[in-house]
């Protein structure tokens, strides 16, 4: 990419130095700078890229792009003024908006791949991942190839080697690289989870979505957003980047508000509210979901291996995307039936035992309530739930998560999730606060060691019971302090089941 061509796309640039340079690398991390690179100094929530300009120049950056205002970081080099910048052979470009410049430059370097793809953005507290998997299945037909970007992995659509995601929604640079690879492999559509953090931090700046889905909004990430209104406002930004239909869950009160505030046309779904898309008949069991769904294109008979009422909402949202994409009733029904499961979402661990073990990513009180309501309605025996809360995250949801677990469980076992820098026992005490003073007194145990907690739950299960291991789902590591170690709930559960099978069953009095 010739620098002058890229800069011609940016708004209000002030250039000091040459513009006849050929640029082959754009970076935002000074540690990744190679000789001749273009370094964009992004102002961020935790650190200001402008403080790393000197390091980028030292490593050989040929071009520095930065905002002229110093922003939050009072030690940023740019605060010293233009004359004090480390300008030598490199070119310095001042812009009004570094995110806008990064998007335009990186998109131009990658030959604007996003413009050749049809993007479907999915946002909400719960249900994003399953809805994204359903949408990918819906949009993968004979003449379409759908990719996926989300919490579990990035699937390029053209190969069968998904790449593990570092964030639910990658940054501007990484997205351009992913879109370019997808476009090269013949991908036509992309189902993309869009987190509130990414919207607030402008990681999706410049992207235009063909369709957007709102699943729900419940308490989460308030350590970052502070209030539910600010959390909602971050989510709402997606719908102002959408050119087509907004598919909205109007059983959720925030969805009702979004219906009124979102620009453009909406397609609304729910179970209780009969708007554009809703089930007229519904059967739920451990084999899955069967329902007749009324839609603007007529009634659709749906059969799915997914389990629970919360997955009914995910399916209804996906149906909305199918309708917005012009799919037939038959195609929608067939492609939903084809999607059998999602890793770490109501994932059954079955070694032939006479009780059910389920691993699920549920990590908010609403998600746990929805999960356990479904489990308790389908379980012949008792429900035993293992649940933990992450350290250095929203503390307000800790007692609520414990309450949700105890409300629908015979026994709740409070344990660690990713304690990070917090003492595990202090997190458990904050969870326990939600159980104290309740009448009748809930049955619970506190076991900080997650492996021991899972083993304890499985050792207590009897015929017809269900053990739910909530919080980590597909994750394969655990953060304690600054140390990341391998930890997979599914592996731990299988190991506990194997050891249980090796010894005589000891009946436990209820």
């Amino acid at each position: 990419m010739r620098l002058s061509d890229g800069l011609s796309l940016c708004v209000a640039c002030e250039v000091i130095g040459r513009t006849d340079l050929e640029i082959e690398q754009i970076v935002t991390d000074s540690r990744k700078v190679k000789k001749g690179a273009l370094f964009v100094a992004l102002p961020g929530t935790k650190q200001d890229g402008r403080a790393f300009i000197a390091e980028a120049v030292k490593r050989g950056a040929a071009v520095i792009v930065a905002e002229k205002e110093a922003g939050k970081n009072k030690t940023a080099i740019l605060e010293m003024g233009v004359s004090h910048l480390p300008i030598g052979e490199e070119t310095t470009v001042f812009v009004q908006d570094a995110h806008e410049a990064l998007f335009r430059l990186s998109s131009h370097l990658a030959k604007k791949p996003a413009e050749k793809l049809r993007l479907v953005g999915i946002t909400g507290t719960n249900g994003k991942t399953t809805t994204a998997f359903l949408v990918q299945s819906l949009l993968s037909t004979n003449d379409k190839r759908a990719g996926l970007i989300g919490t579990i992995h990035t699937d390029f659509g053209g190969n069968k080697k998904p790449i593990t995601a570092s964030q639910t929604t990658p940054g501007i640079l990484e997205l351009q690289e992913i879109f370019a690879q997808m476009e090269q492999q013949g991908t036509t559509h992309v189902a993309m989870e869009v987190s509130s953090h990414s919207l607030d931090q402008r990681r999706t700046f410049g992207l235009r979505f063909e369709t957007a889905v709102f699943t729900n909004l419940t308490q989460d990430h308030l350590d970052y957003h502070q209030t539910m209104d600010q959390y909602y406002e971050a989510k709402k930004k997606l719908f102002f980047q959408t050119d087509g239909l907004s598919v909205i869950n109007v059983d959720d009160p925030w969805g009702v508000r979004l219906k009124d505030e979102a620009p453009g046309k909406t397609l609304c779904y729910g179970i209780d509210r009969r708007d554009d898309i809703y089930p007229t008949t519904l059967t739920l069991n451990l084999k899955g979901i069967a329902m007749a769904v009324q839609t603007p294109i007529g009634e659709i008979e749906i059969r799915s291996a997914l389990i629970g009422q919360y997955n009914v909402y995910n399916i209804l949202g996906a149906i909305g995307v199918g309708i917005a994409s012009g799919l037939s009733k038959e195609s929608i029904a067939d492609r939903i039936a084809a999607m059998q499961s999602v890793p770490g979402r109501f994932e059954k661990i079955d070694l032939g035992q006479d009780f059910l073990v389920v691993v699920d990513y549920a990590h908010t009180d609403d998600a746990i309530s929805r999960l356990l309501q479904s489990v308790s309605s389908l379980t012949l025996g008792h429900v035993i739930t293992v649940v933990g809360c992450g350290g250095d995250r929203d503390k307000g949801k800790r007692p609520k998560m414990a309450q949700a677990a105890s409300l629908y469980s015979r026994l709740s076992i409070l344990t660690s999730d990713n304690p990070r820098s917090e003492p595990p026992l202090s997190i458990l005490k904050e969870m326990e606060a939600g159980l104290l003073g309740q009448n009748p007194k809930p049955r619970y145990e506190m076991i900080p060691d997650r492996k021991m907690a899972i083993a304890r739950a499985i050792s207590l299960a009897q015929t017809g019971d269900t053990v739910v291991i909530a919080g980590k789902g597909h994750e394969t590591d655990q953060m304690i302090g600054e140390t990341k170690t391998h930890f997979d709930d599914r592996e731990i559960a299988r190991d506990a089941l194997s050891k249980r099978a090796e010894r005589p069953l000891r009946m436990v009095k209820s």
Side-chain angles (χ1 to χ4, degrees):
M1 174 187 78
R2 183 165 285 267
L3 179 60
S4 57
D5 294 338
L7 294 180
S8 68
L9 303 172
C10 297
V11 177
C13 293
E14 178 186 339
V15 183
I16 302 174
R18 295 169 55 191
T19 62
D20 60 341
L21 304 173
E22 288 295 327
I23 303 299
E24 296 182 359
Q25 183 197 29
I26 298 175
V27 295
T28 57
D29 185 338
S30 60
R31 295 167 297 181
K32 296 180 180 179
V33 169
K34 295 179 181 178
K35 188 173 178 59
L38 184 152
F39 174 70
V40 181
L42 287 181
T45 55
K46 293 184 178 179
Q47 56 187 4
D48 194 326
R50 289 166 288 200
F52 300 94
I53 290 175
E55 181 184 355
V57 171
K58 184 178 179 180
R59 289 176 179 268
V63 182
I64 301 296
V65 177
E67 293 178 9
K68 205 162 188 177
E69 297 299 324
K72 296 179 181 179
N73 190 333
K74 298 304 180 185
T75 64
I77 294 171
L78 288 177
E79 192 177 42
M80 301 176 188
V82 177
S83 62
H84 293 276
L85 279 171
I87 297 174
E89 294 295 324
E90 71 283 349
T91 295
T92 302
V93 181
F94 293 109
V95 295
Q96 290 183 346
D97 187 331
H99 287 85
E100 180 265 341
L102 176 62
F103 170 76
R104 296 191 185 282
L105 290 167
S106 61
S107 177
H108 185 67
L109 180 64
K111 304 188 187 310
K112 302 181 180 179
E115 295 182 8
K116 304 165 191 173
L117 299 168
R118 299 170 70 176
L119 307 181
V120 177
I122 299 131
T123 198
T125 307
N126 304 310
K128 293 189 299 295
T129 298
T130 299
T131 303
F133 270 73
L134 284 162
V135 168
Q136 184 189 28
S137 181
L138 271 174
L139 299 180
S140 298
T141 59
N142 292 334
D143 60 340
K144 298 173 184 175
R145 179 177 288 173
L148 182 145
I149 300 172
T151 303
I152 295 177
H153 62 228
T154 293
D155 186 336
F156 292 93
N159 61 34
K160 300 300 180 183
K161 296 180 181 179
I163 294 179
T164 301
S166 58
Q167 298 171 306
T168 296
T169 312
I172 292 173
L173 270 178
E174 190 178 355
L175 280 173
Q176 293 301 327
E177 294 169 0
I178 291 169
F179 291 147
Q181 292 182 61
M182 287 181 168
E183 192 267 327
Q184 289 168 9
Q185 295 186 26
T187 301
T188 57
H189 295 68
V190 183
M192 180 175 166
E193 293 183 53
V194 184
S195 69
S196 59
H197 287 73
S198 72
L199 289 162
D200 189 65
Q201 295 168 10
R202 306 176 74 195
R203 289 183 229 148
T204 62
F205 183 95
L207 298 182
R208 301 305 303 176
F209 294 85
E210 181 179 84
T211 312
V213 181
F214 175 83
T215 61
N216 51 59
L217 195 76
T218 61
Q219 182 174 332
D220 200 11
H221 305 306
L222 295 193
D223 55 312
Y224 179 88
H225 294 291
Q226 302 302 315
T227 68
M228 288 297 292
D229 272 311
Q230 291 179 38
Y231 186 22
Y232 166 78
E233 290 297 330
K235 294 286 190 188
K236 188 172 74 172
K237 291 176 182 178
L238 172 63
F239 300 87
F240 286 83
Q241 291 180 237
T242 301
D243 295 324
L245 283 169
S246 295
V247 180
I248 300 172
N249 174 11
V250 288
D251 273 358
D252 186 288
W254 295 98
V256 175
R257 175 174 166 180
L258 181 61
K259 178 183 178 181
D260 293 334
E261 296 178 359
K265 294 182 179 180
T266 61
L267 197 58
C268 298
Y269 66 93
I271 297 174
D272 299 326
R273 290 175 66 100
R274 298 197 163 194
D275 208 305
D276 299 308
I277 302 170
Y278 58 90
T280 55
T281 63
L282 176 60
T283 301
L284 304 172
N285 55 44
L286 286 174
K287 293 181 179 179
I289 296 166
M291 60 181 172
V293 180
Q294 186 61 47
T295 79
I297 62 172
E299 189 171 85
I300 305 176
E301 290 290 336
I302 296 294
R303 298 290 183 275
S304 172
L306 300 180
I307 294 170
Q309 181 169 289
Y310 58 97
N311 274 321
V312 173
Y313 284 103
N314 297 330
I315 292 170
L316 295 177
I319 289 173
V321 175
I323 293 170
S325 301
L327 300 183
S328 67
K329 293 189 297 181
E330 294 74 19
S331 180
I332 290 171
D334 289 346
R335 298 312 302 165
I336 286 176
M339 212 285 286
Q340 293 293 304
S341 63
V342 179
R345 271 59 175 179
F346 208 101
E347 186 169 346
K348 299 177 187 177
I349 310 300
D350 188 355
L351 270 63
Q353 74 276 4
D354 58 0
F355 56 91
L356 184 63
V357 177
V358 172
V359 171
D360 195 273
Y361 189 58
H363 59 281
T364 67
D365 58 297
D366 179 72
I368 289 171
S369 293
R370 291 171 186 259
L371 170 65
L372 295 182
Q373 283 179 51
S374 295
V375 168
S376 60
S377 68
L378 301 173
T379 299
L380 296 176
H382 298 308
V383 177
I384 301 171
T385 301
V386 178
V387 61
C389 296
D392 302 331
R393 297 294 186 269
D394 185 356
K395 294 185 177 184
K397 68 180 185 178
R398 292 174 183 175
K400 295 179 181 179
M401 286 176 64
Q403 288 172 351
S406 68
L407 183 61
Y408 298 102
S409 306
R410 172 72 168 178
L411 172 68
S412 301
I413 300 180
L414 312 185
T415 189
S416 296
D417 190 313
N418 293 308
R420 299 183 178 90
S421 69
E422 292 191 65
L425 195 57
S426 69
I427 298 174
L428 267 58
K429 287 290 186 182
E430 291 184 13
M431 294 179 69
E432 184 187 30
L435 305 179
L436 300 177
Q438 288 191 15
N439 189 19
K441 183 178 179 181
R443 293 186 57 187
Y444 67 94
E445 298 178 8
M446 296 197 301
I447 305 176
D449 186 298
R450 190 174 180 90
K451 182 176 181 179
M452 292 178 63
I454 292 171
R456 170 67 172 165
I458 287 174
S459 73
L460 295 175
Q462 299 184 31
T463 301
D465 288 350
T466 298
V467 174
V468 176
I469 305 168
K472 291 179 66 61
H474 66 282
E475 293 179 353
T476 56
D477 52 53
Q478 186 177 42
M479 284 294 297
I480 300 177
E482 296 183 359
T483 303
K484 180 185 288 188
T485 58
H486 179 76
F487 195 102
D488 189 325
D489 283 353
R490 298 162 296 187
E491 293 176 5
I492 301 300
R494 290 188 186 98
D495 183 61
L497 286 168
S498 296
K499 290 178 178 176
R500 172 181 163 129
E502 292 171 359
R503 61 179 181 269
L505 179 64
R506 182 172 62 87
M507 300 301 291
V508 180
K509 292 182 181 180
S510 60

